[in-house]
Each structure stands twice: as structure tokens, then as C-alpha cells.
Amino acid sequence: MSETITITDNRTNESVEIPILNKSVTSRDWTKLLPGIWFYDPGLATTAVTQSSIAEINGNEGMLRYRGYPIEQLGDKCSYPEVAYLLLFGELPDADQLSVWRAELADRSVIDETYLSNLMNAFPQNAHPMAMLASSVAALSMLYPESRDVENPENRMIQTARLIAKMPTLAAAIHRRRTGQAYIPPNVDIPFVPNFLHMMFQEEGKDYECHPVIAKAMDVLFTLHADHGQNCSTTAARVVGSSHADPYSAVTAACSALYGPRHGGANEAVLKMLAEIESLENVDAFMQSVKSGDRRLMGFGHRIYKNYDPRARIIKQMFEEVFTVTKANPLLDIARKLEETALGDDYFVSRKLYPNVDFYSGLIYEAIGFPVAMFTVLFAIPRTSGWLAHWNEMHSNNERIARPCQVYIGSPQRDLP
Ligand code: ACO
């Protein structure tokens, strides 16, 4: 059997035979026969924009792997810094590499205090944290103008480590600005995740004890959120990065894309939805409003997963342990009832709508003490390693500038009166 596809232009009877390589056919061969005829593909649902070796997703089987390793094993056995290293360099670090990497992240986590407090004070205190985060990342581009040398791989890695390291510092400063608390600088002697929790939650005049169960839960959540192939925000980073803009500008675009409720903003939207449903008796009426098209069941559905999102499955198993050291979240019962109802209802079953990563994550974040508005920021911190892994991969492959086509359906030429 020939591993090719033949396309025939029935207007001219000309044909082109295109080899199928890596489950794809190249559009260049297609355009040889049919210049000016585009694949019309709204939402890029069936277009592969790149070849990547970072994350592999099988949506029908509910499978996610980073560099070949199943997400379940990485969550179980690795810390987030190890996973970030894996995404960036292709292999897990050995003990020496890990200690150098941890030290580099700790070193680069510091942001000049005057600069940071001036920046934070420029934002309205009640601004949304994601708007503050996107603006703060854009501001880093002004501190590091040398980051514009994107063709230099060593320089790219310096900026990459810098940005991954500074995201928790920015996130905690945003939280403290919103809550009117003094900014706490990073403690370079504490590991990545506990240090973030310390910068977030340390109260004035008191010690902050990070419970190991909470630290482990956050590490797992960071690992689960670190990458997910060519999702909306990664695509935004790639599109901006493809013009050879600096990485801070590319990640600003990614933060802005993540902010939306159909992407990373869904974790915040889920908690608002659960609070609005308020009690188990209101679940049926709510589901009716979803089925009649008035609203969406937030945290459900995915472009790629037509089966249970493996990340949601892992998060769902984390409640019991986390709730032994936090208060149980009363909204969990509503979430479970929504899931149970949806998985037994033809509307959701026929459309293959299952819980995604955002359905349960917010319940854990809230139990740990994060304000709901911060949830998408918690997604952005680890996803920065994924964004930058793709950004580096794109530059290593010397990819072309992103420039999709359109099918023009407007007026033909007309003349002014
Ligand atoms: N609730 C109710 N119906 C839904 C939902 C939902 N959450 N998601 C999809 N549908 C329905 C659509 O109405 C549509 O029905 P139709 O065929 O009768 O018109 C069908 O399922 C297909 O939906 P699309 O919007 O075409 O699917 P798409 O792949 O474009 O969107 C998305 C995926 C954005 C995730 C969507 O499922 C959604 O809006 N979910 C809720 C928001 C959410 O949880 N986002 C987080 C995703 S995970 C992440 O980004 C990190």
C-alpha cells in the first residue's frame, strides 16, 4: 500500500501525489498543483503548524507525555523544576545538572525591589492579576534589551531561565499589591515551589510553614500545567516569536491568550460557576441552561481530548490528601454532581465533552488559600516553561514567520462616487 494521497483537480484533471510523512501531508506539495486555493480551517483545527518533539497528546485515548514520559509518572516522581528542564533540554537532569539548574532559577528569581514596587504601584489595586501579569512580563523586556538577540541559542537559554524563575516573583508581588501587603523578596535558599508559597503567604511578623503535602500538590499541579502542545497561548507565543520579537513580548502574548475563559481563564470561571450554582438542588436547572445553549459548562470540553483529560483525572485523585491539611472545599460536591450528570447525559456524551484540566484544579487552589482571581496566574507560572520550550524549538528550527491566509468574501472592486 502506497503511503501517499493523490489530489485531482477536476477542472483540469491534473493530479498531485503527496507522501504521508509523520501522519501529515505537506501543504507545499498541495500548493504546487493548486496555487491560490486554501485549506479553509477556522480555529486551525486540522492544520499542523509545526513539527515538535516536546509534548505528545492522544485525544482519543486521553494520553499526555512530555518528551516521551507519561504525565502520570512525571507528576508522581519529579519536581516542577526537573520537568521544566526536561521540556527545555529534552532529557531529565542528572543530580549535578539539577542542582545547577535549581541554583540558576533561585539566582534569577530576584527582581530589583524598587523597580518591582514602582511597577506594581502603577497598576490599579483591583486590576485583574492576569492583566497585571501580562503587563509585568512586557515590562521585563525593557530591563533586558539584550533578549532581542533571539538567534543566539545561549542568549535564548539565559532569557528562558530568567523568565521561568521570575514568574513566581511577579505572581506573588501581584497578589501582595492586590491585598495591600508588603512585597516579600525570594529566598534563594528555598526550593522553587515552597519559595513561591512563602512569597505569597508569609504574613508580616510571622513565619510561614509550608506543609509538605501542599508543596507536593503544587509541584504536581505545576507539572500538569507545564506544557500542552500547540494550544492557544503557545500558538500566540509562537506567532509573536516568529517575527523575532524578544521572548518577553512573546510570553506577554501567551499570557494574554491564556487569560481568556475558553483557555486558562476557565479555572477561574469554573469556581465562579460553582459558587453561582450554590447547592446540589440547582445542578439540574443549571445543566438545562447549558443544554439549551444559554451557557457553557466551564471546565468541560477540549479541542483535542475526546476522552477524559488525563490531567483532570490526576487532579481528581489529589483531593483526599490535600483536604487532610486544608479545609475541605464544599463546592467539590457540586462539581462531582455536575460531572456525574454530564457523563450520563447524551448532550455531553454525543459531543464527547469530559472534564478538562481546569474543572477540578481551582478547588484545590482555593483550599490552599489562593484567591479565585489568581488561578490563571497559577497556570501561567509553569506554562512559561512550555511556552519557552516551544519558542526555543521554533528558533532552533529556523522556522518561517507565521502568516496565515484568508478567504476574502468581501465586496469586489468598487469605485468611490
Ligand atoms: N459546555 C457546553 N457545550 C459545549 C462545551 C461546554 N463546555 N464545550 C463545547 N460544547 C459544545 C458546543 O456548543 C458545540 O456544540 P454544537 O456542535 O451543538 O454546536 C460542540 O460542543 C463543539 O464545541 P466547540 O466550541 O466547537 O469546540 P472547540 O473545540 O472549538 O472548543 C473549548 C473547545 C473552547 C475548550 C470548549 O469546549 C469550551 O468552551 N469549554 C469550556 C471552557 C473551558 O473549559 N476551557 C478550558 C479548556 S482547557 C484549556 O484551555 C487549558
Side-chain angles (χ1 to χ4, degrees):
M1 188 182 57
S2 154
E3 289 291 304
T4 62
I5 286 182
T6 301
I7 299 170
T8 304
D9 183 346
N10 293 326
R11 299 166 305 177
T12 60
N13 264 339
E14 277 184 70
S15 291
V16 62
E17 188 177 352
I18 310 178
I20 303 170
L21 290 172
N22 295 326
K23 296 191 210 155
S24 62
V25 287
T26 157
S27 64
R28 286 197 184 186
D29 289 348
W30 156 271
T31 50
K32 268 188 231 155
L33 175 69
L34 296 164
I37 303 272
W38 310 119
F39 281 109
Y40 175 53
D41 184 17
L44 297 176
T46 53
T47 298
V49 293
T50 191
Q51 295 185 330
S52 178
S53 43
I54 300 171
E56 186 187 2
I57 308 168
N58 184 323
N60 291 327
E61 290 172 15
M63 177 215 87
L64 171 62
R65 295 180 193 143
Y66 296 163
R67 303 276 188 189
Y69 293 113
I71 192 74
E72 293 79 6
Q73 293 178 24
L74 291 169
D76 201 25
K77 297 202 171 116
C78 297
S79 66
Y80 165 68
E82 287 172 279
V83 170
Y85 187 101
L86 170 71
L87 292 173
L88 292 166
F89 300 103
E91 296 297 336
L92 283 164
D94 62 26
D96 289 345
Q97 287 165 328
L98 182 59
S99 93
V100 171
W101 176 237
R102 282 189 189 282
E104 177 166 12
L105 291 180
D107 221 33
R108 294 192 185 281
S109 62
V110 180
I111 303 177
D112 178 81
E113 258 180 72
T114 312
Y115 184 81
L116 189 57
S117 67
N118 285 342
L119 182 66
M120 292 298 142
N121 289 337
F123 300 140
Q125 196 174 3
N126 62 356
H128 193 282
M130 278 306 285
M132 292 163 95
L133 185 70
S135 307
S136 305
V137 173
L140 290 181
S141 146
M142 297 174 232
L143 281 184
Y144 305 108
E146 74 280 10
S147 65
R148 294 172 68 191
D149 182 10
V150 297
E151 287 176 36
N152 174 343
E154 276 166 42
N155 185 43
R156 286 205 302 270
M157 268 309 155
I158 293 171
Q159 310 308 327
T160 296
R162 185 175 271 153
L163 193 38
I164 291 171
K166 289 191 192 321
M167 288 301 266
T169 313
L170 289 175
I174 287 167
H175 170 65
R176 296 187 87 88
R177 162 71 179 139
R178 295 181 84 245
T179 49
Q181 300 177 79
Y183 159 65
I184 298 208
N187 179 340
V188 297
D189 298 323
I190 311 182
F192 192 94
V193 167
N195 190 27
F196 168 55
L197 295 168
H198 153 83
M199 289 189 285
M200 279 288 301
F201 296 127
Q202 163 112 50
E203 288 176 35
E204 225 180 325
K206 290 192 195 162
D207 284 339
Y208 174 71
E209 285 284 327
C210 175
H211 197 288
V213 167
I214 303 295
K216 176 62 190 169
M218 286 303 293
D219 238 334
V220 174
L221 286 164
F222 277 9
T223 291
L224 298 182
H225 286 86
D227 192 48
H228 210 239
Q230 308 304 315
N231 55 86
C232 177
S233 54
T234 302
T235 301
R238 292 177 57 95
V239 169
V240 171
S242 77
S243 74
H244 287 208
D246 70 73
Y248 304 97
S249 302
V251 170
T252 300
C255 286
S256 305
L258 191 73
Y259 187 1
R262 294 225 168 160
H263 188 19
N267 53 14
E268 178 183 353
V270 168
L271 256 281
K272 287 188 175 152
M273 174 186 79
L274 296 175
E276 186 194 320
I277 295 172
E278 208 182 346
S279 75
L280 291 174
E281 299 85 77
N282 299 331
V283 164
D284 287 345
F286 177 83
M287 289 303 253
Q288 215 38 59
S289 71
V290 171
K291 290 186 334 183
S292 58
D294 292 340
R295 52 193 310 170
R296 287 195 170 203
L297 176 57
M298 300 312 286
F300 255 71
H302 199 278
R303 173 65 59 77
I304 305 291
Y305 291 120
K306 300 304 164 199
N307 199 329
Y308 216 100
D309 181 335
R311 302 166 299 173
R313 199 184 295 284
I314 297 171
I315 297 172
K316 205 176 160 191
Q317 289 159 1
M318 288 166 61
F319 287 115
E320 243 170 73
E321 199 170 5
V322 171
F323 290 171
T324 56
V325 291
T326 68
K327 271 198 259 165
N329 196 325
L331 296 177
L332 177 60
D333 288 341
I334 300 179
R336 282 184 170 143
K337 176 94 195 286
L338 284 171
E339 180 189 334
E340 190 191 302
T341 312
L343 298 188
D345 187 304
D346 188 56
Y347 176 95
F348 297 91
V349 174
S350 62
R351 290 172 178 78
K352 301 194 169 146
L353 301 172
Y354 292 87
N356 60 50
V357 68
D358 290 319
F359 191 64
Y360 285 114
S361 60
L363 290 165
I364 294 194
Y365 292 142
E366 193 174 54
I368 292 175
F370 290 101
V372 175
M374 283 292 289
F375 290 179
T376 310
V377 172
L378 299 174
F379 193 149
I381 294 172
R383 184 54 62 87
T384 300
S385 56
W387 290 331
L388 290 168
H390 286 273
W391 174 78
N392 275 290
E393 184 178 65
M394 178 188 77
H395 280 298
S396 302
N397 295 341
N398 198 16
E399 287 187 19
R400 300 171 82 190
I401 188 167
R403 205 320 180 178
C405 305
Q406 63 172 6
V407 179
Y408 176 70
I409 55 163
S411 166
Q413 182 180 329
R414 52 186 168 156
D415 297 317
L416 287 168

